[in-house]
């Protein structure tokens, strides 16, 4: 087997701004061999600011604005870390994240945007919000609009700052409130004597549009403080408002002041013509967070977009030992300013014109920009040789990548046939029953359980992969009612330089250690090697205070409690094909990274229990049925699903393990996408417990109170082992 090209350099893109998004798209077209690309962003999506006024006005849905960074990272072969940078040491070449995680880099680039929060105004942090970050403002606006429609808030809005952003948002909010049936009372507050940031001809047109939208203008008005319910001006006037938005200028993120980067007086990162941070050869910066000392420009998205090709080429140049080139921004640019309704004003070279056709033109420009991220380079299908051995095509199955996690595991039937041929245990201290989740060993006067689990990577982030793999491996210990004791690790890394090997191993072991120590166990050793791809595994032991909970022991009438939604295999398969929504992937990974030891403690009185993993919910429930010699009745509508899984299953998305799971555990009456998901392989899936019917509701309430999306999904009944939907 040919090994992939070894990784030798870490490129870290801090922030998912427009420049970095375009760099990633360009990278997807032609990746640089040997470079490992990492994207750090707090959310799975990055909103496009050009369409924000249209969204606020109600012309665009929220998702229309979003660049899906998860899909984009997959296309570029990059790993994405959903976290926020809070520190950067340019000397040590180290980035600190909000979670406390630390990343080393060989080359870094900043594109973290700006904030419109105004901490200098008393009361702003408690009673107002900035127009940026965009996603926070958009969410608060939607919630406010709902309250106005429900009569729980007055349609009174104050916007601080009468630049282009403030003007656009004031008219957009007035338009949306009017469309919602309210009588808008929108105030635009500006310390200067008039509108700012535009030419006289443009200001005249904007002033007329503001009057048409019944926006009240307050010029020469300094804000003294903000309180609940309004804005107090320096001259003593009060402006009543239930929503207060700051749009007066651009402010740099405050954490930059704690770095050793060169900054302007107002905190922006100073860059040289090639966009490299002045005095730091290994750090670049672009977008609104950067100050181009050679060619100062206002904070506008057009410059971020135009800088992207230069930044892309210069990052590649530094990583490959080539020469960088300078970025020369244009002196003037076309301003297209939305007017709330579907019309706009355009300005260039001080000349202004307006009309509805301009809004349509702006919409085409914005949609064209977003199409760059909606339509990404397709993942090539695996090539098949022209001549193959008999049966090779059938064994290969679908022309889709082999799934990661439990989606790559062997089918239950094949595994059962192999295990059934092994001789029975010859030692008296091996107490295991065939097919149980973990081996049960008699050790002195105690009962010890032992299990092992290994996963093929489904995410490029080794720390997240290690955390989920550790939780996945602990599932067998928790499901048998044991307390985790010790673990050994097996780490297979793809080819890397010694430096990247050390970095990656440190990330893997730290993340895994955090999980095991929180569960009361310790990592006591392990084994590492190089392979074609990242694969992680853990062998874990645990101690039982009493008799281990096994698959056997379920009783007729027992209620079935499932502690976690299903559908992870389908979402992960879709993500590999770039067909899953980034938000859904992020939510899934966050749920998979949540330990379940607390839920296992609540369920320790279960008559039988297992964790739902590679064989799917149906396969693991069938194991309980066979061991307990009972049937199970389940209610499809009561089974919790990971968001997005049902739609993907309905669209025909399947994990590569799905056909084998279906064959091994058919379910009578299973129909539709929910029926399909019964056979979906789960990674770090939920616990499935058969509990006494008179205790089920109380136990469910306790598990849900711990933050688990648990449900009672069915009942164990008399009958031949099997599963049917009722």
């Amino acid at each position: 087997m040919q090994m992939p090209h070894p990784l030798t350099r870490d490129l870290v893109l801090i922030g998912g701004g427009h420049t970095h998004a375009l760099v990633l798209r360009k990278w997807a077209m032609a990746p640089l061999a040997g470079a490992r690309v990492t994207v750090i962003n707090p959310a799975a999506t990055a909103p496009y600011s050009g369409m924000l006024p249209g969204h606020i006005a109600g012309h665009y849905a929220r998702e229309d604005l979003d660049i899906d960074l998860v899909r984009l990272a997959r296309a570029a072969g990059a790993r994405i870390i959903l976290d926020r940078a809070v520190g950067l040491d340019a000397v040590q070449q180290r980035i600190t994240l909000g979670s406390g995680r630390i990343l080393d880099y060989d080359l870094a680039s900043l594109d973290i945007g700006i904030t419109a929060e105004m901490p200098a105004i008393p009361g702003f942090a408690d009673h107002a919000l900035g127009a940026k970050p965009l996603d926070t403002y958009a969410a608060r606006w939607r919630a406010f609009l709902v309250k106005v429609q429900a009569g729980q808030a007055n349609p009174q809005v104050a916007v601080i700052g009468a630049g282009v952003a403030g003007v656009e948002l004031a008219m957009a909010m007035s338009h949306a409130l009017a469309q919602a049936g309210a009588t808008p009372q929108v105030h635009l507050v500006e310390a200067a004597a008039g509108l700012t940031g535009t030419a006289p001809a443009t200001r005249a047109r904007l002033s007329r549009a503001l009057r048409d939208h019944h926006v009240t203008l307050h010029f020469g008005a300094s804000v003294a403080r903000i309180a609940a319910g309004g804005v107090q001006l320096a001259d003593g006037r009060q402006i009543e408002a239930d929503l207060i938005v700051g749009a007066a200028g651009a402010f740099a993120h405050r954490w930059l002041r704690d770095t050793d980067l060169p900054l302007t007086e107002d905190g922006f990162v100073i860059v040289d013509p090639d966009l490299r941070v002045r005095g730091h050869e290994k750090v670049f910066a672009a977008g609104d967070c950067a100050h181009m000392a050679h060619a100062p420009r206002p904070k506008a998205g057009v410059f971020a977009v135009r800088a992207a090709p230069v930044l892309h080429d210069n990052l590649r140049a530094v990583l490959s030992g080539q020469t960088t080139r300078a970025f020369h921004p244009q002196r003037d640019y076309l301003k297209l300013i939305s007017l709330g309704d579907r019309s706009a004003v355009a300005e260039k070279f001080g000349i202004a014109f307006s009309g509805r056709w301009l809004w349509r033109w702006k919409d085409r420009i914005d949609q064209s920009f977003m199409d760059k991220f909606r339509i990404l380079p397709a993942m090539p299908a695996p090539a098949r040789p022209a001549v193959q051995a008999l049966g090779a095509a059938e064994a290969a199955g679908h022309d889709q990548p082999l799934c990661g996690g439990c989606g790559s595991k062997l089918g239950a039937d094949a595994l059962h046939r192999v295990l059934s041929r092994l001789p029975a245990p010859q030692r008296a201290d091996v107490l295991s029953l065939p097919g149980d989740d973990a081996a049960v060993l008699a050790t002195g006067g105690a009962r010890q359980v032992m299990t092992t689990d290994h996963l093929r990577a489904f995410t490029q982030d080794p720390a997240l992969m290690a955390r989920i793999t550790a939780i996945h491996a602990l599932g067998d210990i928790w499901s048998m009612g044991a307390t985790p004791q010790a673990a050994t690790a097996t780490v297979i890394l793809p080819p890397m330089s010694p430096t990247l090997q050390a970095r990656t191993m440190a990330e893997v072991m730290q993340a895994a250690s955090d999980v095991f120590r929180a569960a009361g166990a310790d990592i006591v050793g392990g084994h590492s090697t190089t392979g074609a791809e990242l694969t992680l595994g853990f062998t874990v032991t645990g101690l039982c205070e009493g008799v281990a909970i096994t698959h056997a022991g379920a009783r007729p009438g027992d209620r079935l409690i499932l502690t976690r939604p299903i559908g992870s295999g389908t979402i992960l398969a879709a993500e590999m094909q770039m067909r899953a929504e980034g938000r859904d992937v992020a939510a899934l990974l966050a749920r998979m990274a949540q330990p379940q030891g607390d839920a296992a403690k609540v369920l320790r009185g279960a008559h039988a229990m297992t964790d739902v993993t590679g064989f799917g919910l149906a396969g693991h429930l069938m194991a309980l049925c066979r061991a307990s010699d009972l049937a199970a009745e389940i209610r499809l509508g009561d089974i919790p699903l990971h968001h997005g899984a049902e739609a993907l299953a309905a669209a025909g998305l399947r994990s590569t393990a799905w056909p084998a799971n279906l064959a091994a555990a058919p379910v009578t009456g299973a129909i539709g996408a929910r029926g399909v998901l019964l056979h979906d392989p789960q990674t770090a899936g939920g616990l499935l417990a058969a509990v006494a019917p008179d205790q089920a509701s109380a136990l469910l309430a306790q598990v849900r109170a711990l933050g688990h999306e648990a449900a009672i999904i069915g009942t164990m009944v008399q009958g031949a082992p099997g599963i049917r939907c009722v």
Side-chain angles (χ1 to χ4, degrees):
M1 179 178 182
Q2 184 175 1
M3 298 288 276
H5 197 283
L7 300 171
T8 61
R9 293 292 185 273
D10 270 321
L11 167 62
V12 180
L13 305 179
I14 307 170
H18 302 350
T19 310
H20 278 174
L22 288 166
V23 166
L24 281 170
R25 188 182 187 278
K26 202 168 175 63
W27 201 278
M29 304 291 191
L32 179 64
R36 178 169 65 177
V37 182
T38 300
V39 188
I40 301 169
N41 199 67
T45 59
Y48 171 48
S49 58
M51 296 171 71
L52 174 63
H55 166 64
I56 297 300
H59 307 318
Y60 301 120
R62 177 64 183 85
E63 54 270 20
D64 293 336
L65 280 65
D66 280 337
I67 298 170
D68 192 326
L69 294 177
V70 174
R71 292 182 64 242
L72 187 57
R74 171 64 71 175
R79 63 170 172 168
I80 182 167
I81 298 176
L82 300 181
D83 206 336
R84 188 184 302 275
V86 296
L88 186 147
D89 185 333
V91 176
Q92 297 295 323
Q93 296 180 204
R94 185 164 292 168
I95 301 159
T96 302
L97 305 184
S99 62
R101 185 174 171 184
I102 294 175
L103 292 179
D104 293 324
Y105 66 85
D106 296 295
L107 188 63
S109 179
L110 282 160
D111 184 17
I112 57 175
I114 55 176
T115 175
E117 295 176 358
M118 307 170 75
I121 299 178
F124 187 95
D126 295 326
H127 305 294
L129 75 156
K132 289 190 176 184
L134 183 156
D135 47 359
T136 303
Y137 163 54
R140 287 276 296 275
W141 165 250
R142 291 196 304 273
F144 174 74
L145 198 58
V146 169
K147 287 184 178 181
V148 169
Q149 291 173 305
Q152 299 171 353
N154 297 313
Q156 298 173 325
V157 177
V159 180
I160 303 172
V164 171
V167 166
E168 284 190 305
L169 295 179
M171 287 189 282
M173 289 188 284
S174 180
H175 176 80
L177 287 167
Q179 292 298 111
T183 301
Q185 300 172 48
V186 180
H187 299 265
L188 186 58
V189 183
E190 172 57 50
L195 302 180
T196 64
T198 53
T202 307
R203 290 199 293 271
R205 292 175 184 263
L206 292 177
S207 295
R208 288 196 297 271
L210 286 163
R211 288 195 297 271
D212 291 343
H213 282 85
H214 307 289
V215 176
T216 302
L217 305 176
H218 303 268
F219 294 133
S222 297
V223 177
R225 66 181 304 102
I226 296 172
V231 178
Q232 180 180 330
L233 301 181
D235 61 10
R237 285 181 293 161
Q238 298 279 347
I239 299 174
E240 294 184 359
D242 281 6
L243 181 70
I244 303 166
V245 179
F251 300 91
H253 288 276
R254 280 172 282 180
W255 68 265
L256 291 171
R257 295 188 180 275
D258 297 325
T259 70
D260 50 3
L261 302 178
L263 305 177
T264 62
E265 288 186 4
D266 45 1
F268 294 98
V269 181
I270 300 172
V271 299
D272 289 329
D274 63 354
L275 302 178
R276 204 176 328 215
V277 174
R278 179 166 294 177
H280 295 277
E281 293 187 351
K282 301 300 183 182
V283 186
F284 284 76
D288 287 348
C289 71
H291 171 71
M292 296 179 287
H294 66 290
R297 294 292 187 273
K299 304 300 181 186
V302 62
F303 300 117
V305 171
R306 295 289 180 87
V310 177
L311 179 62
H312 168 269
D313 292 350
N314 287 349
L315 292 174
R316 291 177 68 97
V318 173
L319 289 168
S320 57
Q322 305 299 314
T323 303
T324 61
R325 62 189 177 100
F327 172 53
H328 300 290
Q330 68 269 43
R331 293 186 179 277
D332 196 13
Y333 63 99
L334 176 68
K335 293 187 181 79
L336 285 169
I337 305 169
S338 298
L339 301 179
D341 54 4
R342 293 175 185 267
S343 61
V345 169
E347 177 197 305
K348 191 167 186 182
F349 301 124
I351 302 171
F353 41 101
S354 59
R356 293 191 175 276
W357 68 273
L358 281 170
W359 192 92
R360 292 192 294 271
W361 185 25
K362 181 180 187 306
D363 177 62
R364 284 196 293 272
I365 293 172
D366 290 337
Q367 297 292 357
S368 176
F369 177 81
M370 289 302 295
D371 282 345
K372 295 178 185 291
F373 306 103
R374 294 168 181 154
I375 306 168
L376 294 172
M379 300 286 285
R384 291 189 177 182
V387 180
Q388 305 178 72
L390 294 174
E394 293 77 7
H398 303 289
D399 287 330
Q400 73 177 69
L402 177 65
C403 289
C406 274
S408 62
K409 292 198 171 183
L410 298 178
D413 283 347
L415 188 60
H416 177 73
R417 285 196 300 270
V418 171
L419 293 177
S420 65
R421 295 171 186 164
L422 296 178
Q426 60 184 348
R427 295 178 59 95
D429 53 3
V430 177
L431 310 177
S432 300
L433 296 173
D436 271 328
D437 288 334
V440 182
L441 310 175
T443 305
R447 289 176 183 257
Q448 185 183 53
V449 296
M450 180 179 69
T451 185
T452 189
D453 224 318
H454 300 73
L455 297 177
R456 179 175 179 265
F458 49 81
T459 173
Q460 298 289 337
D461 183 356
L464 179 61
M465 187 67 207
R467 180 173 180 83
I468 293 174
T469 305
I471 289 168
H472 179 84
L474 283 165
D476 289 340
I477 302 296
W478 287 326
S479 70
M480 298 192 78
T483 299
Q485 179 190 26
T488 57
T490 301
V491 180
I492 302 175
L493 296 181
M496 296 177 176
S497 67
T499 298
L500 264 66
Q501 283 181 345
R503 289 176 186 170
T504 307
M505 282 294 294
E507 290 189 55
V508 166
M509 298 309 293
Q510 183 61 59
S513 178
D514 289 346
V515 171
F516 284 114
R517 289 184 67 82
D522 290 301
I523 296 180
V524 295
H527 180 76
S528 63
T529 188
T530 298
E533 59 189 353
L534 178 66
T535 303
L536 303 178
F538 297 97
T539 298
V540 191
T541 62
L543 297 174
C544 291
E545 295 180 1
V547 176
I549 304 172
T550 66
H551 293 174
R555 304 170 188 174
D558 276 356
R559 301 295 188 263
L560 293 167
I561 293 179
L562 178 65
T563 65
R564 181 163 288 180
I566 63 172
S568 65
T570 294
I571 294 175
L572 293 177
E575 192 275 328
M576 290 186 70
Q577 300 174 52
M578 299 192 299
R579 295 177 63 181
E581 295 288 337
R583 291 188 196 88
D584 294 338
V585 176
L588 168 67
L589 294 175
R591 178 65 70 181
M592 292 166 69
Q594 179 185 4
Q596 298 186 91
D598 51 359
K601 288 181 181 178
V602 172
L603 298 172
R604 276 188 177 170
H607 297 151
M609 187 155 57
T610 186
D611 62 331
V612 179
T613 53
F615 302 146
L617 175 59
H620 289 280
L621 178 54
M622 186 68 80
L624 295 188
C625 291
R626 288 171 177 154
S628 301
D629 197 23
L630 293 173
E633 293 180 343
I634 59 174
R635 297 178 296 276
L636 275 180
D638 291 344
I639 298 172
L641 306 179
H642 289 294
H643 191 271
E646 187 170 7
L648 290 169
L653 271 294
R654 304 286 186 272
S655 169
T656 48
W658 186 86
N661 285 352
L662 173 65
V667 178
T668 303
I671 58 173
R674 282 183 166 265
V676 166
L677 291 173
L678 293 176
H679 309 285
D680 188 53
Q682 304 304 291
T683 303
L687 302 173
L688 178 64
V691 303
D694 59 342
Q695 299 177 14
S697 294
L699 291 173
L700 176 66
Q702 291 181 56
V703 172
R704 291 184 67 88
L706 294 169
H708 300 281
E709 194 177 341
I712 297 173
I713 65 168
T715 306
M716 301 297 291
V717 297
Q718 292 282 6
I723 307 169
R724 58 180 176 269
C725 295
V726 295

